[in-house]
Structure formats: C-alpha cells, structure tokens
Amino acid sequence: MDPIVFENIRKTYDGKVALEQINLSILRDQTTAVIGPSGSGKSTLLQLINGLVVPDRGKVYVYGDEIDYDNLAKLRRRIGYAVQGTGLFPHMTVKKNITLLASLEDWDKEAINRRMRDLMDLVDLPSSYTDRYPHELSGGEQQRVGLCRAMILNPKIFLLDEAFGALDALTRSEIHQEFLKLQKMEARTIVLVTHDLREAIKLADQIVILNEGNIEQVGSRTDIMENPETEFVERFVHMQLEEEPVEFQK
Ligand code: ADP
Ligand code: MG
C-alpha cells in the first residue's frame, strides 16, 4: 500500500485554482521531490498531506485511511513537518526546541534525551549546543536543529517545504549530505518541496513536476532529464540545468 495517495484532488483559494485533477501516489520509504515554479501549487500539495489544506474535491489517503479532518492531531503525530526558516522558537534552547513535541506526548525524560542525542549525532550537532539559543547558531546549524525537531517523534512520513532554501550553497551541500545519511539510517517516506531541480535530483528517488496546479510529469531523475513528457518539462529542466552539470551523489 502506498503511504500517501491523492485521488482527484482539486483545490481553489477564493475561486482561483491552485491544484487541479491531482492523482498521485507517493512511494513508501522513498524520497519524493515536488518541484515547479513559484505559485505552481507545491506547498498546497504538501499541506494536503497533513490536513493543513482541505481539498474542495477528491480525497487524500494516508496509510490507506481517508484523512479525518475532525481528528488531525492523531494524523500529525505521525507526520514530521519542516518549513523554510526552520521555525525554531527563539526564546527556547536547542534542547527545548528539539524535544518539545516529545514532551507534549509525555515521553519519559530518559527516552527523550536518548532520542535527542541520537538525532544530534546523526546531523553532526555537538551535544554542547543543547543549552544554546537559536540566535547563537549559524543558519546551517539552525536548520539541523529544525530537522532534529521534526524527527523527534520518529515520524514515518516527513514533509519538508523549501527547508534548505535559505542556506548558502556550501551549507546547503552539507545539509544534503546529512539528509542522505539520515534517510539511509532511518528510512522513511519523505516528500520535499523545492524550486531547485538540482536539489531534487540529488535527494529524491521520485520527482513530481508541477505547473499551474497540474502535474506535468512524475518520474525518476533519469526519466525527467532524458524523457521529458511535456514541452514545459523540457524547458524547465533545460533552464535549471544549463548553468553547470549536475553532480550525482547517490
Ligand atoms: P508554491 O508553493 O508552488 O509557490 P502554493 O501552493 O503556495 O504554490 O500556491 C499555489 C497558488 O495558490 C498560488 O497562486 C498562491 O497565490 C495561491 N495560494 C496559496 N495559499 C493561499 C492562501 N492561503 N490564500 C489564497 N491563495 C493562496
Ligand atoms: Mg511554496
């Protein structure tokens, strides 16, 4: 069973179409990148998965169950969600930021600390950082804390919305490595939104290309690059990749 299935989804905002006729299955324990120009509906698609967006028409299934919009808390416990700018609470320490959700779930202290240490290890954050505040960390370090926070409950589904977007190229490349390492250690179903095809190619097994609320193509990186199904995809790929050759890292 595919962990996330979109069936005939349509979503409008104030009568304006954001997504139209979306049929899509997300593969289990794989990374799917959703890519497209600004305003193409990427964030809307992502937020349909954790119920932040309710479709006008169609259904979203998570692990086979249609989303129950009257009981989203249960759904969101199984879904990690990280957005651009990390969304860290500035007045809370690193430790507090990372462990907040687990505390709310009444995990015992020992389990919380163990999970926090494991995650910080995984993303190469020194344990001495736990008492620092977000402003005492670099952008890349803050982003890593954001990843730890989103992973604390060990969600089987992990959503990232342009989570690496604000970082400089070098930091971004480092975070990509951590991301790939994490995915290797604890495989999970990841959907990441990006406007950067290079990022999608580097991190994702499946790529979904959106344009004006429609899916243009779904495929592997090779499919997308070598067999573009529409003129839009061909132009989009060409435009994004023409500057320098792509580095394959997987
Ligand atoms: P992307 O993430 O690809 O930039 P979005 O999913 O955020 O695209 O937006 C798709 C379209 O829906 C855009 O035209 C955007 O302006 C519109 N939109 C998104 N969210 C809202 C909202 N809360 N209210 C009104 N319009 C919105
Ligand atoms: Mg967006």
Side-chain angles (χ1 to χ4, degrees), residues 17-92:
V17 175
L19 287 175
E20 183 81 274
Q21 198 69 36
I22 299 293
N23 289 288
L24 175 67
S25 291
I26 304 293
L27 305 174
R28 178 184 293 263
D29 290 345
Q30 308 259 312
T31 301
T32 297
V34 178
I35 182 160
S38 177
S40 57
K42 303 183 295 296
S43 297
T44 301
L45 189 71
L46 199 71
Q47 291 173 350
L48 281 163
I49 299 168
N50 60 8
L52 275 173
V53 167
V54 183
D56 302 358
R57 197 162 68 205
K59 289 170 184 169
V60 182
Y61 297 87
V62 177
Y63 290 118
D65 296 326
E66 202 181 323
I67 290 180
D68 176 3
Y69 294 97
D70 295 324
N71 191 4
L72 289 174
K74 184 165 158 253
L75 175 76
R76 287 188 192 150
R77 242 174 267 141
R78 300 154 76 187
I79 301 180
Y81 181 49
V83 294
Q84 182 168 22
T86 74
L88 295 180
F89 295 110
H91 59 287
M92 288 185 191

Coordinates of all heavy atoms in Angstrom, one line a residue, residues 17-92:
V17 N -8.0 28.5 -9.0 CA -7.5 27.2 -8.9 C -6.0 27.1 -8.5 O -5.2 27.7 -9.1 CB -7.7 26.4 -10.2 CG1 -7.1 25.0 -10.2 CG2 -9.1 26.4 -10.6
A18 N -5.7 26.4 -7.4 CA -4.3 26.1 -7.0 C -3.9 24.8 -7.4 O -2.7 24.6 -7.8 CB -4.2 26.3 -5.5
L19 N -4.8 23.8 -7.4 CA -4.5 22.4 -7.8 C -5.7 21.9 -8.6 O -6.8 22.1 -8.1 CB -4.1 21.5 -6.6 CG -2.8 21.7 -5.9 CD1 -2.7 20.8 -4.7 CD2 -1.6 21.4 -6.9
E20 N -5.4 21.2 -9.6 CA -6.5 20.6 -10.5 C -6.2 19.2 -10.8 O -5.1 18.9 -11.3 CB -6.5 21.5 -11.8 CG -7.6 21.2 -12.7 CD -8.9 21.8 -12.4 OE1 -9.7 21.2 -11.6 OE2 -9.2 22.9 -12.9
Q21 N -7.2 18.3 -10.5 CA -7.1 17.0 -11.1 C -5.9 16.2 -10.7 O -5.2 15.7 -11.5 CB -7.3 17.1 -12.6 CG -7.6 15.8 -13.3 CD -9.0 15.4 -13.0 OE1 -9.9 16.2 -12.9 NE2 -9.3 14.1 -12.9
I22 N -5.6 16.3 -9.4 CA -4.3 15.6 -8.9 C -4.5 14.2 -8.6 O -5.3 13.9 -7.6 CB -3.7 16.4 -7.7 CG1 -3.4 17.9 -8.1 CG2 -2.5 15.7 -7.2 CD1 -2.3 18.0 -9.1
N23 N -3.9 13.3 -9.3 CA -3.9 11.9 -8.9 C -2.4 11.5 -8.8 O -1.6 11.6 -9.8 CB -4.5 11.0 -10.0 CG -6.0 11.2 -10.1 OD1 -6.7 10.7 -9.2 ND2 -6.5 11.9 -11.1
L24 N -2.1 11.0 -7.6 CA -0.6 10.8 -7.4 C -0.5 9.8 -6.2 O -1.2 9.9 -5.2 CB 0.0 12.1 -7.0 CG 1.5 12.1 -6.6 CD1 2.4 11.7 -7.8 CD2 1.9 13.5 -6.1
S25 N 0.5 8.9 -6.3 CA 0.9 8.0 -5.2 C 2.3 8.3 -4.8 O 3.2 8.4 -5.7 CB 0.7 6.6 -5.6 OG -0.6 6.2 -5.8
I26 N 2.5 8.4 -3.5 CA 3.9 8.6 -3.0 C 4.4 7.3 -2.5 O 3.7 6.5 -1.9 CB 3.8 9.6 -1.8 CG1 3.2 10.9 -2.2 CG2 5.2 9.8 -1.2 CD1 3.9 11.7 -3.2
L27 N 5.6 7.0 -2.9 CA 6.2 5.6 -2.6 C 6.7 5.5 -1.2 O 7.3 6.5 -0.7 CB 7.3 5.4 -3.6 CG 7.0 5.5 -5.1 CD1 8.2 5.3 -6.0 CD2 5.9 4.5 -5.5
R28 N 6.5 4.4 -0.6 CA 7.0 4.1 0.7 C 8.5 4.1 0.9 O 9.2 3.5 0.1 CB 6.4 2.7 1.2 CG 6.8 2.3 2.6 CD 6.4 0.9 2.9 NE 4.9 0.9 2.9 CZ 4.2 1.0 4.1 NH1 4.8 1.0 5.2 NH2 2.9 1.0 4.0
D29 N 8.9 4.8 2.0 CA 10.3 4.8 2.3 C 11.3 5.4 1.3 O 12.4 5.0 1.2 CB 10.8 3.4 2.8 CG 10.2 3.0 4.1 OD1 9.7 3.9 4.8 OD2 10.3 1.9 4.5
Q30 N 10.7 6.2 0.4 CA 11.4 6.8 -0.7 C 11.3 8.3 -0.5 O 10.5 8.8 0.2 CB 10.9 6.4 -2.0 CG 10.7 5.0 -2.3 CD 11.8 4.4 -3.1 OE1 12.2 4.9 -4.1 NE2 12.4 3.3 -2.6
T31 N 12.2 9.0 -1.2 CA 12.1 10.5 -1.1 C 11.5 11.0 -2.4 O 12.0 10.6 -3.5 CB 13.5 11.1 -1.0 OG1 14.1 10.6 0.3 CG2 13.4 12.6 -0.9
T32 N 10.4 11.7 -2.3 CA 9.7 12.3 -3.5 C 9.9 13.8 -3.4 O 9.7 14.4 -2.4 CB 8.2 12.0 -3.5 OG1 8.1 10.6 -3.5 CG2 7.5 12.7 -4.6
A33 N 10.4 14.4 -4.5 CA 10.6 15.8 -4.6 C 9.4 16.4 -5.4 O 9.1 15.9 -6.5 CB 11.9 16.2 -5.2
V34 N 8.8 17.5 -4.9 CA 7.8 18.2 -5.7 C 8.4 19.5 -6.1 O 8.9 20.3 -5.3 CB 6.5 18.5 -4.8 CG1 5.5 19.2 -5.6 CG2 6.0 17.1 -4.3
I35 N 8.4 19.7 -7.4 CA 9.2 20.8 -7.9 C 8.3 21.6 -9.0 O 7.5 21.0 -9.6 CB 10.5 20.4 -8.5 CG1 11.4 21.5 -9.0 CG2 10.4 19.3 -9.6 CD1 12.8 21.2 -9.1
G36 N 8.6 22.9 -9.1 CA 7.8 23.7 -10.0 C 8.1 25.1 -9.7 O 8.6 25.5 -8.7
P37 N 7.6 26.0 -10.6 CA 7.8 27.4 -10.4 C 7.0 27.9 -9.2 O 6.2 27.2 -8.7 CB 7.2 28.1 -11.7 CG 7.1 27.0 -12.7 CD 6.9 25.7 -11.9
S38 N 7.3 29.1 -8.7 CA 6.6 29.7 -7.6 C 5.1 29.9 -8.0 O 4.8 30.2 -9.1 CB 7.2 31.1 -7.4 OG 6.5 31.8 -6.4
G39 N 4.3 29.5 -7.1 CA 2.8 29.6 -7.3 C 2.2 28.4 -8.0 O 1.0 28.4 -8.4
S40 N 3.0 27.3 -8.3 CA 2.5 26.2 -9.1 C 1.7 25.2 -8.2 O 1.1 24.3 -8.8 CB 3.7 25.5 -9.7 OG 4.7 25.0 -8.8
G41 N 1.7 25.4 -6.9 CA 0.9 24.6 -6.0 C 1.6 23.6 -5.2 O 1.0 22.7 -4.5
K42 N 3.0 23.8 -5.1 CA 3.8 22.8 -4.3 C 3.4 22.8 -2.8 O 3.2 21.7 -2.3 CB 5.3 23.2 -4.5 CG 5.8 23.3 -5.9 CD 7.3 23.6 -6.0 CE 7.7 25.0 -5.4 NZ 7.1 26.1 -6.2
S43 N 3.4 23.9 -2.2 CA 3.1 24.0 -0.8 C 1.7 23.5 -0.5 O 1.4 22.8 0.5 CB 3.3 25.4 -0.2 OG 4.6 25.8 -0.4
T44 N 0.8 23.8 -1.4 CA -0.6 23.3 -1.2 C -0.7 21.8 -1.3 O -1.3 21.2 -0.4 CB -1.5 23.9 -2.3 OG1 -1.4 25.4 -2.3 CG2 -2.9 23.5 -2.2
L45 N 0.1 21.2 -2.2 CA 0.1 19.8 -2.3 C 0.7 19.1 -1.0 O 0.1 18.2 -0.5 CB 1.0 19.4 -3.5 CG 0.9 17.9 -3.9 CD1 -0.4 17.5 -4.5 CD2 2.0 17.5 -4.9
L46 N 1.7 19.7 -0.5 CA 2.4 19.2 0.7 C 1.4 19.3 1.9 O 1.3 18.4 2.7 CB 3.6 20.0 1.0 CG 4.6 19.3 1.9 CD1 5.3 18.1 1.2 CD2 5.7 20.3 2.4
Q47 N 0.7 20.4 2.0 CA -0.1 20.7 3.2 C -1.4 19.9 3.1 O -2.2 19.8 4.1 CB -0.4 22.2 3.3 CG 0.8 22.9 3.7 CD 0.6 24.4 3.7 OE1 -0.4 24.9 3.3 NE2 1.6 25.1 4.3
L48 N -1.7 19.3 1.9 CA -2.9 18.4 1.9 C -2.6 17.1 2.6 O -3.5 16.4 3.1 CB -3.2 18.0 0.4 CG -3.9 19.1 -0.4 CD1 -3.7 18.8 -1.9 CD2 -5.4 19.1 -0.1
I49 N -1.3 16.8 2.8 CA -0.9 15.5 3.4 C -1.1 15.6 4.9 O -1.5 14.6 5.5 CB 0.6 15.2 3.1 CG1 0.7 15.0 1.6 CG2 1.0 13.9 3.8 CD1 2.2 14.9 1.1
N50 N -0.8 16.7 5.5 CA -1.1 16.8 7.0 C -2.3 17.5 7.4 O -2.6 17.9 8.5 CB 0.2 17.4 7.7 CG 0.5 18.8 7.3 OD1 -0.3 19.4 6.5 ND2 1.6 19.3 7.8
G51 N -3.2 17.8 6.4 CA -4.5 18.3 6.6 C -4.5 19.8 6.9 O -5.6 20.4 7.3
L52 N -3.4 20.5 6.7 CA -3.4 21.9 6.8 C -4.2 22.6 5.7 O -4.8 23.7 5.8 CB -2.0 22.5 6.7 CG -1.2 22.5 8.0 CD1 0.3 22.9 7.8 CD2 -1.8 23.4 9.0
V53 N -4.3 21.9 4.5 CA -5.2 22.3 3.4 C -6.2 21.2 3.2 O -5.9 20.0 3.2 CB -4.3 22.5 2.2 CG1 -5.2 22.6 0.9 CG2 -3.4 23.7 2.3
V54 N -7.5 21.7 3.1 CA -8.6 20.7 2.8 C -9.0 20.9 1.4 O -9.2 22.0 0.9 CB -9.8 21.1 3.8 CG1 -10.9 20.1 3.6 CG2 -9.3 21.1 5.2
P55 N -9.1 19.8 0.6 CA -9.4 19.9 -0.8 C -10.9 20.3 -1.0 O -11.7 20.0 -0.1 CB -9.1 18.5 -1.3 CG -9.2 17.6 -0.1 CD -8.8 18.4 1.1
D56 N -11.2 20.9 -2.1 CA -12.5 21.2 -2.5 C -13.2 19.9 -2.9 O -14.4 19.7 -2.8 CB -12.6 22.2 -3.6 CG -11.9 23.5 -3.3 OD1 -11.5 23.7 -2.2 OD2 -11.9 24.4 -4.2
R57 N -12.4 19.1 -3.6 CA -12.9 17.9 -4.2 C -11.8 16.8 -4.1 O -10.6 17.2 -4.2 CB -13.3 18.2 -5.6 CG -14.2 17.1 -6.2 CD -14.9 17.6 -7.5 NE -13.9 17.8 -8.5 CZ -14.1 18.7 -9.5 NH1 -15.1 19.4 -9.6 NH2 -13.1 18.8 -10.5
G58 N -12.2 15.6 -4.1 CA -11.2 14.5 -4.1 C -10.8 14.1 -2.7 O -11.3 14.7 -1.7
K59 N -10.0 13.1 -2.6 CA -9.6 12.5 -1.3 C -8.1 12.4 -1.2 O -7.4 12.1 -2.2 CB -10.2 11.2 -1.2 CG -11.7 11.3 -1.0 CD -12.4 9.9 -1.0 CE -13.9 10.1 -0.9 NZ -14.6 8.9 -1.3
V60 N -7.6 12.5 0.1 CA -6.2 12.2 0.4 C -6.3 11.0 1.4 O -7.0 11.0 2.4 CB -5.5 13.4 1.0 CG1 -4.1 13.0 1.3 CG2 -5.6 14.6 0.1
Y61 N -5.5 10.0 1.0 CA -5.4 8.8 1.9 C -4.0 8.8 2.5 O -3.0 8.9 1.8 CB -5.6 7.5 1.1 CG -7.0 7.4 0.5 CD1 -7.3 7.9 -0.7 CD2 -8.0 6.7 1.2 CE1 -8.5 7.8 -1.3 CE2 -9.3 6.6 0.7 CZ -9.5 7.1 -0.6 OH -10.8 7.0 -1.1
V62 N -3.9 8.5 3.8 CA -2.6 8.3 4.5 C -2.7 7.0 5.1 O -3.5 6.7 5.9 CB -2.3 9.4 5.5 CG1 -1.0 9.2 6.2 CG2 -2.3 10.8 4.9
Y63 N -1.7 6.1 4.7 CA -1.7 4.7 5.1 C -3.1 4.1 4.9 O -3.6 3.4 5.8 CB -1.2 4.5 6.5 CG 0.2 4.8 6.6 CD1 0.7 5.9 7.4 CD2 1.2 4.1 5.9 CE1 2.0 6.2 7.5 CE2 2.5 4.4 6.0 CZ 2.9 5.5 6.8 OH 4.3 5.8 6.9
G64 N -3.7 4.4 3.8 CA -5.0 3.7 3.4 C -6.2 4.3 4.0 O -7.3 4.0 3.5
D65 N -6.0 5.2 4.9 CA -7.2 5.9 5.5 C -7.4 7.2 5.0 O -6.5 8.0 4.9 CB -7.1 6.0 7.1 CG -7.0 4.6 7.7 OD1 -7.7 3.7 7.2 OD2 -6.3 4.5 8.7
E66 N -8.7 7.5 4.6 CA -9.0 8.9 4.2 C -8.8 9.8 5.4 O -9.1 9.5 6.5 CB -10.5 8.9 3.8 CG -10.9 10.0 2.9 CD -12.4 10.0 2.6 OE1 -12.9 8.9 2.4 OE2 -12.9 11.1 2.5
I67 N -8.2 11.0 5.1 CA -7.9 11.9 6.2 C -9.2 12.3 7.0 O -10.2 12.6 6.3 CB -7.2 13.2 5.7 CG1 -5.8 12.8 5.3 CG2 -7.2 14.3 6.8 CD1 -5.0 14.0 4.7
D68 N -9.1 12.2 8.3 CA -10.3 12.6 9.1 C -10.0 14.0 9.6 O -9.2 14.2 10.5 CB -10.4 11.6 10.3 CG -11.5 12.0 11.3 OD1 -12.2 13.0 11.0 OD2 -11.6 11.3 12.3
Y69 N -10.7 15.0 9.0 CA -10.4 16.4 9.3 C -10.9 16.8 10.7 O -10.6 17.9 11.1 CB -10.9 17.3 8.2 CG -10.2 17.1 6.9 CD1 -10.7 16.2 5.9 CD2 -9.0 17.6 6.7 CE1 -10.1 15.9 4.8 CE2 -8.3 17.4 5.5 CZ -8.8 16.5 4.5 OH -8.1 16.3 3.4
D70 N -11.6 15.9 11.4 CA -12.0 16.2 12.7 C -11.1 15.7 13.7 O -11.2 15.9 14.9 CB -13.4 15.6 13.0 CG -14.5 16.3 12.1 OD1 -14.4 17.5 11.9 OD2 -15.4 15.6 11.7
N71 N -10.1 15.0 13.3 CA -9.1 14.4 14.2 C -7.7 14.5 13.6 O -7.0 13.5 13.4 CB -9.5 12.9 14.5 CG -8.7 12.3 15.6 OD1 -7.9 13.0 16.3 ND2 -8.9 11.0 15.8
L72 N -7.2 15.7 13.4 CA -5.9 15.9 12.7 C -4.8 15.7 13.7 O -3.7 15.3 13.2 CB -5.9 17.3 12.1 CG -6.8 17.5 10.9 CD1 -6.7 19.0 10.5 CD2 -6.3 16.6 9.7
A73 N -5.0 15.8 14.9 CA -3.9 15.7 15.9 C -3.2 14.3 15.8 O -2.0 14.2 15.7 CB -4.4 15.9 17.3
K74 N -4.1 13.3 15.6 CA -3.6 11.9 15.5 C -2.7 11.8 14.2 O -1.7 11.2 14.3 CB -4.8 11.0 15.5 CG -4.4 9.5 15.5 CD -5.6 8.6 15.8 CE -5.4 7.2 15.3 NZ -6.2 6.9 14.1
L75 N -3.2 12.3 13.1 CA -2.5 12.3 11.9 C -1.2 12.9 12.0 O -0.1 12.4 11.6 CB -3.4 12.9 10.8 CG -2.7 13.1 9.4 CD1 -2.7 11.7 8.7 CD2 -3.5 14.1 8.6
R76 N -1.2 14.1 12.6 CA 0.1 15.0 12.6 C 1.1 14.4 13.5 O 2.3 14.7 13.3 CB -0.3 16.4 13.0 CG -1.0 17.1 11.9 CD -1.2 18.5 12.1 NE -2.1 19.0 11.1 CZ -3.0 20.0 11.3 NH1 -3.0 20.7 12.5 NH2 -3.8 20.5 10.4
R77 N 0.8 13.6 14.4 CA 1.8 12.9 15.3 C 2.6 12.0 14.4 O 3.7 11.7 14.8 CB 1.0 12.1 16.4 CG 1.4 12.6 17.8 CD 0.6 11.9 18.8 NE -0.6 12.7 19.1 CZ -1.8 12.2 19.4 NH1 -2.0 10.9 19.3 NH2 -2.8 12.9 19.6
R78 N 2.0 11.5 13.3 CA 2.8 10.5 12.5 C 3.5 11.2 11.4 O 4.2 10.6 10.6 CB 1.8 9.5 11.9 CG 1.1 8.7 13.0 CD -0.2 8.2 12.5 NE 0.0 7.1 11.6 CZ -1.0 6.5 10.9 NH1 -2.2 7.0 10.9 NH2 -0.8 5.5 10.1
I79 N 3.4 12.5 11.3 CA 4.0 13.3 10.2 C 4.9 14.4 10.7 O 4.4 15.3 11.4 CB 2.8 13.9 9.3 CG1 1.9 12.8 8.8 CG2 3.4 14.7 8.2 CD1 0.8 13.3 7.9
G80 N 6.2 14.4 10.3 CA 7.1 15.5 10.6 C 6.9 16.5 9.6 O 6.7 16.2 8.4
Y81 N 7.1 17.8 10.0 CA 6.8 18.9 9.0 C 7.9 20.0 9.3 O 7.9 20.5 10.4 CB 5.4 19.4 9.2 CG 5.0 20.5 8.3 CD1 5.2 20.5 6.9 CD2 4.3 21.6 8.8 CE1 4.7 21.5 6.1 CE2 3.9 22.7 8.0 CZ 4.1 22.6 6.6 OH 3.7 23.6 5.8
A82 N 8.7 20.2 8.3 CA 9.7 21.3 8.5 C 9.6 22.3 7.3 O 9.4 21.9 6.2 CB 11.1 20.7 8.5
V83 N 9.6 23.6 7.7 CA 9.4 24.6 6.7 C 10.7 25.5 6.6 O 11.5 25.5 7.5 CB 8.2 25.5 7.0 CG1 6.9 24.7 6.9 CG2 8.3 26.1 8.4
Q84 N 10.7 26.3 5.6 CA 11.8 27.2 5.4 C 12.0 28.2 6.6 O 11.0 28.6 7.2 CB 11.6 28.1 4.1 CG 12.7 29.0 3.9 CD 12.6 29.6 2.5 OE1 11.6 29.7 1.9 NE2 13.8 30.1 2.0
G85 N 13.2 28.5 6.9 CA 13.4 29.4 8.0 C 13.4 28.7 9.4 O 13.4 29.3 10.4
T86 N 13.3 27.4 9.3 CA 13.4 26.5 10.5 C 12.2 26.6 11.5 O 11.8 25.6 12.1 CB 14.7 26.6 11.3 OG1 14.6 27.8 12.1 CG2 15.9 26.6 10.4
G87 N 11.6 27.7 11.6 CA 10.5 27.9 12.5 C 10.9 27.6 14.0 O 10.0 27.2 14.8
L88 N 12.2 27.7 14.3 CA 12.6 27.5 15.7 C 12.0 28.6 16.6 O 11.9 29.7 16.2 CB 14.1 27.4 15.8 CG 14.8 26.3 15.1 CD1 16.3 26.4 15.3 CD2 14.3 25.0 15.6
F89 N 11.7 28.2 17.9 CA 11.3 29.2 18.8 C 12.5 29.9 19.4 O 13.3 29.3 20.0 CB 10.5 28.6 19.9 CG 9.2 28.0 19.5 CD1 9.0 26.6 19.5 CD2 8.1 28.7 19.0 CE1 7.9 26.0 19.0 CE2 7.0 28.2 18.6 CZ 6.8 26.8 18.5
P90 N 12.6 31.3 19.2 CA 13.8 32.0 19.5 C 14.1 32.0 21.0 O 15.2 32.1 21.4 CB 13.6 33.4 19.0 CG 12.1 33.5 18.7 CD 11.6 32.1 18.5
H91 N 13.0 32.0 21.8 CA 13.2 32.1 23.3 C 13.4 30.7 23.9 O 13.5 30.6 25.1 CB 12.0 32.8 23.9 CG 10.7 32.1 23.6 ND1 10.1 32.0 22.3 CD2 9.9 31.3 24.4 CE1 9.0 31.3 22.4 NE2 8.9 30.8 23.6
M92 N 13.5 29.7 23.1 CA 13.7 28.3 23.7 C 15.1 27.8 23.3 O 15.6 28.1 22.2 CB 12.7 27.3 23.1 CG 11.3 27.5 23.7 SD 10.3 26.1 23.0 CE 8.7 26.7 23.5

